Structures are given as structure tokens and as C-alpha cells.
Amino acid sequence: VGAVDNSKSLFAIGDSLTYGVNVENTINGSWARYVSDNLGMKAYHNFAVHGTEVYQWYSLLTGNAAPNNEYDVGNIGLTKDALIEEIRNAGIVAFSLGSNDLIGDYVGHRSAEKVHETLIKIIDEIHTINPDAIVVSVGYAYGIAMNKGGVHEKSYQLLIDFNNLM
């Protein structure tokens, strides 16, 4: 905490977990907002979008296909230039990413290792843009959907493997 430059912003990217899924007011209620407030950051910007995946953020940030050869920036309402500018101005870049890459139709098609590899490439790129930024990755919290009979039961071990890699 002592290394945080709170004269800069906390910039949040990611999926619904970063966005603030299941909170009443996503602008003020996401975990990233609480971190920003508790650290006394100058500003807070949350560009997280429900359903986004690691490879989408990688493609947007780099303009390249992800290591799994997928290329899709998706419709997340953010340009590459704006993303890079936010990273340059951030003291902290925080995110939760990876769970959407390993649930539902992707079970058996993506591995925890490949998703982790892409996420590490994103972190490396963030540090290339802003070497002083503190990068915080928040793992996936296991919910009822992961339990036996839950909608994402098949993803349980993949998510455990991914969290362990992170």
C-alpha cells in the first residue's frame, strides 16, 4: 500500500466480476471502487464489461490475435488508444478476468494454461505501457453455479486450475 501513488487513478478492466455483478449500483458498488476509495486514489475508472474474455482484452490492447489464435475485440465501448491512455495515467490497473474463458461452451476447448498465458501477456503489455503501474488480478470466487448440478459444474476444476496458476 505504501508504494501506491494515489495521485493517479485506479483503472479497472475485466468482466462482470470487476464491473460489479449483483451489486445495486455498479458505478459505486464494485470491489474496484472500494479499493480505489480505501487507497485514496485521485480517480477511479471502471471499463469492465459483462461477459468479456481474456483474449478480447488482449486483442484490444495489442491489436494481435491471442495466443490461442482468437481475435475479437468485442463490443466493449473502448478503443485501443483510450485503453492505452487510461493505463498510462493509472497508478493501479485492477481486473478480474478468465472465468468467462473457461465456462459454458468453452469447457474442453480452452485450457487454464492458455488463458493464464494470455493474461500474463496482458500484464506484460500493461507494464510496457506503464512500468510503474501496480497490476492487481483478482481470482474467481466459486459460487453456487460451480456446485454439483450447477450451471457451471463442468468448469469447476478449470477455474481451480486457473486460480492456482494466477
Side-chain angles (χ1 to χ4, degrees), residues 38-75:
N38 283 312
L39 293 175
M41 303 299 292
K42 172 185 174 183
Y44 163 75
H45 306 274
N46 189 345
F47 284 88
V49 178
H50 286 281
T52 55
E53 300 168 15
V54 169
Y55 76 91
Q56 290 173 297
W57 287 97
Y58 179 85
S59 294
L60 177 61
L61 183 59
T62 66
N64 298 316
N68 58 2
N69 292 320
E70 294 193 54
Y71 182 94
D72 178 11
V73 296
N75 184 15

Short mmCIF file of all heavy atoms in Angstrom, two decimals, residues 38-75:
data_model
loop_
_atom_site.label_atom_id
_atom_site.label_comp_id
_atom_site.label_asym_id
_atom_site.label_seq_id
_atom_site.Cartn_x
_atom_site.Cartn_y
_atom_site.Cartn_z
N ASN A 38 -10.58 3.25 -0.64
CA ASN A 38 -9.79 2.95 0.56
C ASN A 38 -8.33 3.33 0.42
O ASN A 38 -7.67 3.60 1.43
CB ASN A 38 -9.93 1.47 0.94
CG ASN A 38 -11.26 1.20 1.61
OD1 ASN A 38 -11.65 1.91 2.52
ND2 ASN A 38 -11.96 0.20 1.14
N LEU A 39 -7.83 3.38 -0.81
CA LEU A 39 -6.45 3.81 -1.02
C LEU A 39 -6.34 5.31 -1.27
O LEU A 39 -5.24 5.84 -1.41
CB LEU A 39 -5.82 3.04 -2.19
CG LEU A 39 -5.61 1.55 -1.96
CD1 LEU A 39 -5.09 0.88 -3.23
CD2 LEU A 39 -4.66 1.31 -0.80
N GLY A 40 -7.48 5.99 -1.33
CA GLY A 40 -7.48 7.43 -1.56
C GLY A 40 -6.99 7.82 -2.94
O GLY A 40 -6.34 8.86 -3.10
N MET A 41 -7.31 7.01 -3.94
CA MET A 41 -6.87 7.30 -5.30
C MET A 41 -7.52 8.58 -5.82
O MET A 41 -8.64 8.91 -5.45
CB MET A 41 -7.21 6.13 -6.24
CG MET A 41 -6.63 4.79 -5.83
SD MET A 41 -4.84 4.73 -5.75
CE MET A 41 -4.41 4.88 -7.47
N LYS A 42 -6.80 9.27 -6.69
CA LYS A 42 -7.28 10.53 -7.27
C LYS A 42 -8.56 10.33 -8.07
O LYS A 42 -9.48 11.14 -8.02
CB LYS A 42 -6.19 11.11 -8.17
CG LYS A 42 -6.62 12.32 -8.97
CD LYS A 42 -5.52 12.75 -9.92
CE LYS A 42 -6.01 13.86 -10.82
NZ LYS A 42 -5.00 14.24 -11.79
N ALA A 43 -8.61 9.26 -8.84
CA ALA A 43 -9.76 9.00 -9.70
C ALA A 43 -9.96 7.49 -9.83
O ALA A 43 -9.07 6.71 -9.51
CB ALA A 43 -9.53 9.62 -11.08
N TYR A 44 -11.13 7.15 -10.31
CA TYR A 44 -11.50 5.75 -10.49
C TYR A 44 -12.21 5.63 -11.83
O TYR A 44 -13.13 6.39 -12.11
CB TYR A 44 -12.41 5.32 -9.35
CG TYR A 44 -13.18 4.05 -9.61
CD1 TYR A 44 -12.55 2.82 -9.56
CD2 TYR A 44 -14.54 4.08 -9.90
CE1 TYR A 44 -13.25 1.66 -9.79
CE2 TYR A 44 -15.25 2.92 -10.13
CZ TYR A 44 -14.60 1.72 -10.08
OH TYR A 44 -15.28 0.56 -10.32
N HIS A 45 -11.77 4.69 -12.65
CA HIS A 45 -12.39 4.45 -13.95
C HIS A 45 -12.60 2.95 -14.12
O HIS A 45 -11.64 2.19 -14.09
CB HIS A 45 -11.51 4.96 -15.09
CG HIS A 45 -11.11 6.38 -14.94
ND1 HIS A 45 -11.89 7.43 -15.38
CD2 HIS A 45 -10.03 6.95 -14.37
CE1 HIS A 45 -11.29 8.57 -15.09
NE2 HIS A 45 -10.16 8.30 -14.47
N ASN A 46 -13.85 2.54 -14.28
CA ASN A 46 -14.16 1.12 -14.43
C ASN A 46 -14.71 0.89 -15.84
O ASN A 46 -15.82 1.31 -16.16
CB ASN A 46 -15.18 0.68 -13.38
CG ASN A 46 -15.39 -0.82 -13.37
OD1 ASN A 46 -15.01 -1.52 -14.29
ND2 ASN A 46 -15.99 -1.31 -12.31
N PHE A 47 -13.92 0.24 -16.67
CA PHE A 47 -14.32 -0.07 -18.03
C PHE A 47 -14.66 -1.55 -18.20
O PHE A 47 -14.71 -2.04 -19.33
CB PHE A 47 -13.22 0.33 -19.02
CG PHE A 47 -13.17 1.82 -19.26
CD1 PHE A 47 -12.41 2.63 -18.45
CD2 PHE A 47 -13.88 2.39 -20.29
CE1 PHE A 47 -12.35 3.99 -18.66
CE2 PHE A 47 -13.84 3.75 -20.52
CZ PHE A 47 -13.07 4.56 -19.70
N ALA A 48 -14.87 -2.25 -17.11
CA ALA A 48 -15.20 -3.67 -17.19
C ALA A 48 -16.56 -3.86 -17.85
O ALA A 48 -17.44 -3.01 -17.75
CB ALA A 48 -15.20 -4.28 -15.79
N VAL A 49 -16.71 -5.00 -18.54
CA VAL A 49 -17.93 -5.30 -19.28
C VAL A 49 -18.32 -6.75 -19.04
O VAL A 49 -17.48 -7.66 -19.13
CB VAL A 49 -17.71 -5.07 -20.80
CG1 VAL A 49 -18.97 -5.42 -21.58
CG2 VAL A 49 -17.30 -3.63 -21.07
N HIS A 50 -19.60 -6.96 -18.74
CA HIS A 50 -20.12 -8.32 -18.57
C HIS A 50 -19.73 -9.20 -19.74
O HIS A 50 -19.82 -8.80 -20.89
CB HIS A 50 -21.66 -8.30 -18.50
CG HIS A 50 -22.21 -7.77 -17.23
ND1 HIS A 50 -22.27 -8.52 -16.09
CD2 HIS A 50 -22.71 -6.56 -16.92
CE1 HIS A 50 -22.80 -7.80 -15.13
NE2 HIS A 50 -23.08 -6.61 -15.61
N GLY A 51 -19.31 -10.41 -19.44
CA GLY A 51 -19.09 -11.43 -20.47
C GLY A 51 -17.79 -11.34 -21.23
O GLY A 51 -17.53 -12.18 -22.08
N THR A 52 -16.96 -10.33 -20.95
CA THR A 52 -15.72 -10.23 -21.72
C THR A 52 -14.72 -11.29 -21.29
O THR A 52 -14.78 -11.80 -20.18
CB THR A 52 -15.08 -8.83 -21.63
OG1 THR A 52 -14.88 -8.48 -20.27
CG2 THR A 52 -15.95 -7.79 -22.32
N GLU A 53 -13.82 -11.58 -22.21
CA GLU A 53 -12.87 -12.66 -22.01
C GLU A 53 -11.45 -12.13 -22.17
O GLU A 53 -11.22 -11.07 -22.76
CB GLU A 53 -13.16 -13.78 -23.01
CG GLU A 53 -14.56 -14.33 -22.81
CD GLU A 53 -15.02 -15.23 -23.93
OE1 GLU A 53 -14.19 -15.67 -24.75
OE2 GLU A 53 -16.23 -15.50 -23.98
N VAL A 54 -10.51 -12.90 -21.69
CA VAL A 54 -9.09 -12.52 -21.72
C VAL A 54 -8.65 -12.19 -23.14
O VAL A 54 -8.01 -11.18 -23.38
CB VAL A 54 -8.22 -13.64 -21.11
CG1 VAL A 54 -6.75 -13.40 -21.37
CG2 VAL A 54 -8.48 -13.77 -19.62
N TYR A 55 -9.00 -13.04 -24.09
CA TYR A 55 -8.50 -12.82 -25.45
C TYR A 55 -9.05 -11.55 -26.06
O TYR A 55 -8.39 -10.92 -26.89
CB TYR A 55 -8.74 -14.04 -26.34
CG TYR A 55 -10.15 -14.22 -26.83
CD1 TYR A 55 -10.54 -13.66 -28.04
CD2 TYR A 55 -11.07 -14.95 -26.11
CE1 TYR A 55 -11.83 -13.82 -28.50
CE2 TYR A 55 -12.36 -15.12 -26.56
CZ TYR A 55 -12.74 -14.55 -27.75
OH TYR A 55 -14.02 -14.72 -28.20
N GLN A 56 -10.25 -11.12 -25.67
CA GLN A 56 -10.80 -9.87 -26.18
C GLN A 56 -9.96 -8.68 -25.70
O GLN A 56 -9.64 -7.79 -26.48
CB GLN A 56 -12.24 -9.69 -25.74
CG GLN A 56 -13.20 -10.65 -26.41
CD GLN A 56 -14.58 -10.54 -25.82
OE1 GLN A 56 -14.78 -10.80 -24.65
NE2 GLN A 56 -15.53 -10.12 -26.65
N TRP A 57 -9.62 -8.68 -24.43
CA TRP A 57 -8.81 -7.59 -23.88
C TRP A 57 -7.40 -7.62 -24.48
O TRP A 57 -6.83 -6.58 -24.78
CB TRP A 57 -8.77 -7.67 -22.36
CG TRP A 57 -10.08 -7.25 -21.75
CD1 TRP A 57 -11.09 -8.05 -21.33
CD2 TRP A 57 -10.52 -5.90 -21.54
NE1 TRP A 57 -12.13 -7.30 -20.86
CE2 TRP A 57 -11.80 -5.97 -20.98
CE3 TRP A 57 -9.95 -4.65 -21.77
CZ2 TRP A 57 -12.54 -4.84 -20.63
CZ3 TRP A 57 -10.68 -3.52 -21.42
CH2 TRP A 57 -11.96 -3.62 -20.87
N TYR A 58 -6.86 -8.81 -24.66
CA TYR A 58 -5.53 -8.93 -25.28
C TYR A 58 -5.56 -8.36 -26.71
O TYR A 58 -4.67 -7.59 -27.10
CB TYR A 58 -5.08 -10.39 -25.31
CG TYR A 58 -3.74 -10.58 -25.96
CD1 TYR A 58 -2.57 -10.41 -25.24
CD2 TYR A 58 -3.64 -10.92 -27.31
CE1 TYR A 58 -1.33 -10.57 -25.84
CE2 TYR A 58 -2.41 -11.08 -27.92
CZ TYR A 58 -1.26 -10.90 -27.18
OH TYR A 58 -0.03 -11.05 -27.78
N SER A 59 -6.56 -8.73 -27.49
CA SER A 59 -6.67 -8.26 -28.86
C SER A 59 -6.84 -6.75 -28.91
O SER A 59 -6.24 -6.08 -29.75
CB SER A 59 -7.83 -8.95 -29.57
OG SER A 59 -7.60 -10.32 -29.71
N LEU A 60 -7.66 -6.20 -28.03
CA LEU A 60 -7.87 -4.76 -28.00
C LEU A 60 -6.58 -4.03 -27.62
O LEU A 60 -6.20 -3.04 -28.27
CB LEU A 60 -8.97 -4.39 -27.00
CG LEU A 60 -9.23 -2.89 -26.82
CD1 LEU A 60 -9.67 -2.24 -28.13
CD2 LEU A 60 -10.27 -2.67 -25.74
N LEU A 61 -5.89 -4.53 -26.64
CA LEU A 61 -4.68 -3.88 -26.14
C LEU A 61 -3.53 -3.94 -27.14
O LEU A 61 -2.79 -2.97 -27.30
CB LEU A 61 -4.26 -4.52 -24.81
CG LEU A 61 -3.05 -3.93 -24.10
CD1 LEU A 61 -3.28 -2.46 -23.77
CD2 LEU A 61 -2.78 -4.72 -22.82
N THR A 62 -3.38 -5.04 -27.83
CA THR A 62 -2.22 -5.24 -28.70
C THR A 62 -2.53 -5.15 -30.18
O THR A 62 -1.62 -4.96 -30.98
CB THR A 62 -1.59 -6.63 -28.44
OG1 THR A 62 -2.52 -7.64 -28.85
CG2 THR A 62 -1.19 -6.80 -26.99
N GLY A 63 -3.79 -5.33 -30.55
CA GLY A 63 -4.13 -5.40 -31.96
C GLY A 63 -3.77 -6.73 -32.58
O GLY A 63 -3.84 -6.91 -33.80
N ASN A 64 -3.37 -7.69 -31.77
CA ASN A 64 -2.96 -9.01 -32.23
C ASN A 64 -3.96 -10.08 -31.78
O ASN A 64 -4.69 -9.89 -30.83
CB ASN A 64 -1.59 -9.39 -31.64
CG ASN A 64 -0.52 -8.43 -32.08
OD1 ASN A 64 -0.43 -8.07 -33.24
ND2 ASN A 64 0.30 -8.00 -31.13
N ALA A 65 -3.91 -11.20 -32.46
CA ALA A 65 -4.67 -12.35 -32.01
C ALA A 65 -4.08 -12.87 -30.71
O ALA A 65 -2.87 -12.76 -30.48
CB ALA A 65 -4.67 -13.45 -33.07
N ALA A 66 -4.90 -13.41 -29.88
CA ALA A 66 -4.43 -14.01 -28.64
C ALA A 66 -3.62 -15.26 -28.95
O ALA A 66 -3.69 -15.78 -30.07
CB ALA A 66 -5.62 -14.35 -27.74
N PRO A 67 -2.84 -15.77 -27.99
CA PRO A 67 -2.04 -16.97 -28.23
C PRO A 67 -2.85 -18.18 -28.71
O PRO A 67 -2.31 -19.07 -29.33
CB PRO A 67 -1.38 -17.24 -26.88
CG PRO A 67 -1.27 -15.89 -26.26
CD PRO A 67 -2.54 -15.17 -26.69
N ASN A 68 -4.15 -18.20 -28.44
CA ASN A 68 -4.97 -19.30 -28.93
C ASN A 68 -5.52 -19.01 -30.33
O ASN A 68 -6.45 -19.67 -30.78
CB ASN A 68 -6.10 -19.60 -27.95
CG ASN A 68 -7.00 -18.39 -27.72
OD1 ASN A 68 -6.80 -17.33 -28.32
ND2 ASN A 68 -7.97 -18.54 -26.85
N ASN A 69 -4.94 -17.99 -31.00
CA ASN A 69 -5.30 -17.59 -32.36
C ASN A 69 -6.69 -16.98 -32.48
O ASN A 69 -7.21 -16.83 -33.58
CB ASN A 69 -5.15 -18.74 -33.36
CG ASN A 69 -3.71 -19.11 -33.54
OD1 ASN A 69 -2.84 -18.26 -33.60
ND2 ASN A 69 -3.44 -20.41 -33.61
N GLU A 70 -7.29 -16.61 -31.37
CA GLU A 70 -8.57 -15.93 -31.43
C GLU A 70 -8.34 -14.43 -31.48
O GLU A 70 -7.42 -13.90 -30.88
CB GLU A 70 -9.43 -16.31 -30.22
CG GLU A 70 -9.79 -17.78 -30.25
CD GLU A 70 -10.86 -18.13 -29.28
OE1 GLU A 70 -11.92 -17.50 -29.31
OE2 GLU A 70 -10.63 -19.03 -28.47
N TYR A 71 -9.18 -13.77 -32.23
CA TYR A 71 -9.07 -12.32 -32.39
C TYR A 71 -10.48 -11.74 -32.39
O TYR A 71 -11.25 -11.96 -33.31
CB TYR A 71 -8.38 -11.98 -33.71
CG TYR A 71 -8.20 -10.49 -33.91
CD1 TYR A 71 -7.01 -9.87 -33.54
CD2 TYR A 71 -9.20 -9.70 -34.44
CE1 TYR A 71 -6.82 -8.51 -33.71
CE2 TYR A 71 -9.03 -8.34 -34.60
CZ TYR A 71 -7.83 -7.74 -34.24
OH TYR A 71 -7.66 -6.40 -34.40
N ASP A 72 -10.81 -11.04 -31.34
CA ASP A 72 -12.14 -10.45 -31.25
C ASP A 72 -12.09 -9.37 -30.18
O ASP A 72 -11.99 -9.68 -29.00
CB ASP A 72 -13.17 -11.51 -30.90
CG ASP A 72 -14.56 -10.94 -30.74
OD1 ASP A 72 -14.78 -9.77 -31.10
OD2 ASP A 72 -15.43 -11.66 -30.25
N VAL A 73 -12.16 -8.13 -30.59
CA VAL A 73 -12.15 -7.07 -29.59
C VAL A 73 -13.50 -6.95 -28.92
O VAL A 73 -13.62 -6.34 -27.87
CB VAL A 73 -11.72 -5.70 -30.18
CG1 VAL A 73 -10.30 -5.76 -30.67
CG2 VAL A 73 -12.66 -5.25 -31.28
N GLY A 74 -14.52 -7.51 -29.51
CA GLY A 74 -15.84 -7.44 -28.91
C GLY A 74 -16.37 -6.02 -28.94
O GLY A 74 -15.72 -5.09 -29.40
N ASN A 75 -17.53 -5.84 -28.43
CA ASN A 75 -18.16 -4.52 -28.40
C ASN A 75 -18.12 -4.02 -26.96
O ASN A 75 -19.11 -4.05 -26.25
CB ASN A 75 -19.60 -4.61 -28.90
CG ASN A 75 -20.25 -3.25 -28.98
OD1 ASN A 75 -19.57 -2.22 -28.93
ND2 ASN A 75 -21.56 -3.24 -29.08
#
